[in-house]
Amino acid sequence: MTKTTASDTAQLIIDGKTHTLPIVRGTEGDAAIDISNLLRDTGYITLDTGYKNTGSCSSAITYLDGNKGILRYRGYPIEELADKCAFIEVAYLLLHNKLPNSRELEDFKVLLERFALLHEDMIHFFDHFPPNASPMSILSVMVNSLCNYYPEMGDDPLQDLNITAARLISKIRTIAAFSYKKSLGHPLVYPRADLSYCGNFLNMMFDKPVKPYTVRPEVVAALNKLLILHADHEQNCSTSTVRLVGSAGVNLYASISAGINALWGPLHGGANEAVIDMLELIYADDNNFEKYINKAKDKNDPFRLSGFGHRVYRTFDPRGTIIKKACDEILEVLNVSDPLLDIARQLEEIALRDEYFIERNLYPNVDFYSGIIYRAIGIPTNMFTVMFALGRLPGWIAQWKEQREDPGTRIGRPRQVYTGEPARKFVPLEERT
Ligand code: SDX
């Protein structure tokens, strides 16, 4: 159960009557007006399209300050975790609210290795997806189907949660790599006990019978960093989806599958693929930055700068800053030069000098540079959002677990303001015009 303190109150005057509403404050002084009894006490609901001003829950997992560009998982600054941890340490931290000691980390590794394989019957699923099937659709189908092969999410899902969490975190990696191999018509490469979480993923993706893949520590380090930076981000669209679906009492696999589908959207996790498409468009158009900046500013043009702007950050997304720096490191190590990185940098520079972006506090977000690193590693663009899902999975599970453990949880069921027809008399078919 997460802790908030009800300290002072807010007064709401409606129809001449004053209502007193409690104010709750979080650990960092973040404040909210508790409207849990507003409808009962006033007959009014609130309206907040897109939930820009509405908190859905209290949570002890991730803290972010959009004005200061602060992001912490369980109190640890993202900069430290990204620099000093392996992804599975951060996954453990999100799930258990502590960085694992050596014993705990070893036990977690044993579980991840135990669950790395996919049930052989599930491998036949891949035979029935068309070669050009979206890897995100495959991922959500396969994750949802895991509940049929691993039904431990029974009467007491929390009892098996550590097992189910390790199973999901391990298998999502295998599913992603297998879907890539299947799309190429290449033989599957199975997970190996002697490789790390990220090393195994890279080997399953890129090892070939004709040309064995060398797992390079620098590439493993870059992937670890990317997955850590994507691991959680409080109540974003996909996490809220996981919570909402989970609040109906459905199993974890189905809740995560719903989160995968929400993440797929180009306004959310799908933006990392859209950024590359946008940069390639500008590159093909002789780096005509002005044209695309003007399109992004034009209200009548649906074009937006992908990878720019954020619902919460009103300054640089701290994750984007770390990833931008990591781009240089990995491209140098791999001796790769990517013209799209230069275009991204120039686009950022031009946009951040433009009044339109300045007055709307639009800065590069987590998705703006991540695709440059995925490309350098050799991951295809249509798998970038899959990579986002691999990173976000521990956060989704931790948020689902926190909600399921909270006795105050109720099924999520928002209200509405009705703007349709008033009551009217039924018209039989023969009398209709
Ligand atoms: C993620 O929520 C999270 O935490 C998400 C995430 C996570 O880790 O889970 O951080 C991951 O989803 C990052 C965001 C990835 N999406 C994109 O990069 C898509 C491009 N960005 C935008 O579509 C937009 O910025 C959103 C969707 C991210 C946020 O949209 P909001 O908060 O609803 O803001 P808005 O659309 O109301 O924009 C406010 C103003 C508008 O102009 P005005 O009507 O005030 O004149 O800013 C403009 C918008 O037109 N604007 C942009 C823009 N983003 C906002 N104009 C041009 N290009 C953009 N990218």
Side-chain angles (χ1 to χ4, degrees):
M1 180 58 183
T2 51
K3 295 183 293 301
T4 54
T5 55
S7 49
D8 28 12
T9 59
Q11 310 291 321
L12 181 62
I13 300 168
I14 301 180
D15 306 332
K17 191 172 174 226
T18 300
H19 302 271
T20 301
L21 301 171
I23 287 179
V24 291
R25 293 186 189 281
T27 311
E28 298 294 333
D30 36 329
I33 300 169
D34 183 341
I35 57 168
S36 310
N37 296 316
L38 185 71
L39 180 60
R40 183 200 66 185
D41 297 349
T42 70
Y44 284 74
I45 63 167
T46 58
L47 186 60
D48 183 20
T49 307
Y51 309 117
K52 289 194 171 190
N53 309 282
T54 299
S56 60
C57 62
S58 301
S59 176
I61 298 170
T62 290
Y63 173 71
L64 63 92
D65 181 321
N67 294 319
K68 295 178 185 160
I70 293 172
L71 175 58
R72 300 187 203 125
Y73 295 159
R74 300 287 193 183
Y76 295 99
I78 192 68
E79 294 77 6
E80 286 205 84
L81 296 173
D83 256 357
K84 299 172 182 167
C85 284
F87 171 61
I88 60 169
E89 287 180 82
V90 173
Y92 189 96
L93 168 66
L94 288 168
L95 291 168
H96 302 289
N97 190 23
K98 79 183 288 280
L99 284 167
N101 59 35
S102 310
R103 175 86 212 143
E104 289 159 339
L105 186 58
E106 201 42 48
D107 290 347
F108 194 39
K109 283 179 182 172
V110 167
L111 279 182
L112 292 171
E113 187 227 307
R114 180 176 144 203
F115 296 131
L117 284 172
L118 208 51
H119 194 295
E120 286 293 310
D121 289 355
M122 287 192 76
I123 293 176
H124 298 302
F125 285 36
F126 290 108
D127 299 335
H128 304 288
F129 294 115
N132 62 347
S134 155
M136 283 299 276
S137 70
I138 294 172
L139 195 66
S140 72
V141 166
M142 296 299 280
V143 166
N144 206 16
S145 305
L146 288 172
C147 72
N148 300 308
Y149 289 84
Y150 307 99
E152 278 85 351
M153 293 299 289
D155 300 340
D156 177 7
L158 292 176
Q159 186 204 333
D160 301 320
L161 192 68
N162 289 343
I163 296 290
T164 306
R167 171 175 284 121
L168 259 168
I169 292 169
S170 193
K171 283 186 185 348
I172 199 171
R173 173 188 48 169
T174 309
I175 292 168
F178 281 12
S179 73
Y180 174 60
K181 285 297 197 192
K182 276 290 184 180
S183 74
L184 297 175
H186 287 185
L188 300 181
V189 175
Y190 279 63
R192 285 172 26 187
D194 61 324
L195 292 175
S196 67
Y197 184 88
C198 288
N200 242 321
F201 172 73
L202 292 165
N203 191 60
M204 286 194 277
M205 283 284 287
F206 302 123
D207 191 45
K208 295 191 192 78
V210 290
K211 189 177 177 215
Y213 176 74
T214 306
V215 178
R216 294 183 58 171
E218 306 91 337
V219 178
V220 170
L223 187 53
N224 256 311
K225 185 167 283 189
L226 280 172
L227 295 183
I228 288 169
L229 292 170
H230 287 83
D232 195 56
H233 212 241
E234 57 135 276
Q235 304 312 315
N236 58 84
C237 178
S238 54
T239 299
S240 299
T241 302
V242 169
R243 279 181 170 259
L244 189 61
V245 170
S247 73
V250 81
N251 67 72
L252 179 62
Y253 302 112
S255 305
I256 297 298
S257 179
I260 291 168
N261 289 314
L263 187 73
W264 193 355
L267 294 183
H268 191 13
N272 59 14
E273 294 181 20
V275 166
I276 296 299
D277 296 341
M278 172 183 72
L279 296 176
E280 284 177 336
L281 199 63
I282 295 172
Y283 183 62
D285 203 347
D286 295 330
N287 294 2
N288 188 342
F289 294 105
E290 191 181 351
K291 172 181 168 186
Y292 292 93
I293 290 278
N294 289 336
K295 279 172 67 69
K297 291 158 56 174
D298 179 355
K299 287 285 152 251
N300 301 314
D301 190 323
F303 179 83
R304 289 285 175 274
L305 282 198
S306 284
F308 247 76
H310 197 276
R311 172 59 59 78
V312 179
Y313 288 121
R314 293 289 165 253
T315 182
F316 286 94
D317 180 331
R319 302 167 296 175
T321 306
I322 297 170
I323 292 172
K324 181 179 178 182
K325 181 168 168 285
C327 279
D328 291 330
E329 292 158 7
I330 193 68
L331 264 62
E332 191 183 335
V333 159
L334 297 178
N335 194 23
V336 164
S337 79
D338 187 345
L340 297 191
L341 177 56
D342 302 333
I343 291 176
R345 282 221 181 86
Q346 291 176 68
L347 189 61
E348 175 188 353
E349 205 180 305
I350 295 166
L352 294 184
R353 285 202 306 265
D354 186 297
E355 257 322 294
Y356 172 93
F357 293 90
I358 294 168
E359 66 191 28
R360 290 170 178 80
N361 298 304
L362 301 177
Y363 291 84
N365 58 48
V366 66
D367 294 309
F368 193 63
Y369 287 104
S370 57
I372 302 290
I373 299 182
Y374 291 137
R375 276 161 59 92
I377 292 175
I379 293 167
T381 304
N382 72 347
M383 279 193 68
F384 288 1
T385 312
V386 168
M387 299 310 295
F388 196 138
L390 261 64
R392 185 53 52 90
L393 180 59
W396 283 334
I397 299 173
Q399 299 271 351
W400 185 94
K401 176 177 179 238
E402 182 178 67
Q403 174 178 265
R404 196 53 68 94
E405 287 173 337
D406 179 354
T409 294
R410 294 288 177 276
I411 187 170
R413 202 272 184 225
R415 302 299 303 272
Q416 64 164 30
V417 171
Y418 175 68
T419 57
E421 298 290 342
R424 50 184 171 168
K425 197 168 167 313
F426 178 75
V427 181
L429 180 58
E430 60 278 7
E431 293 173 24
R432 291 175 204 157
T433 53

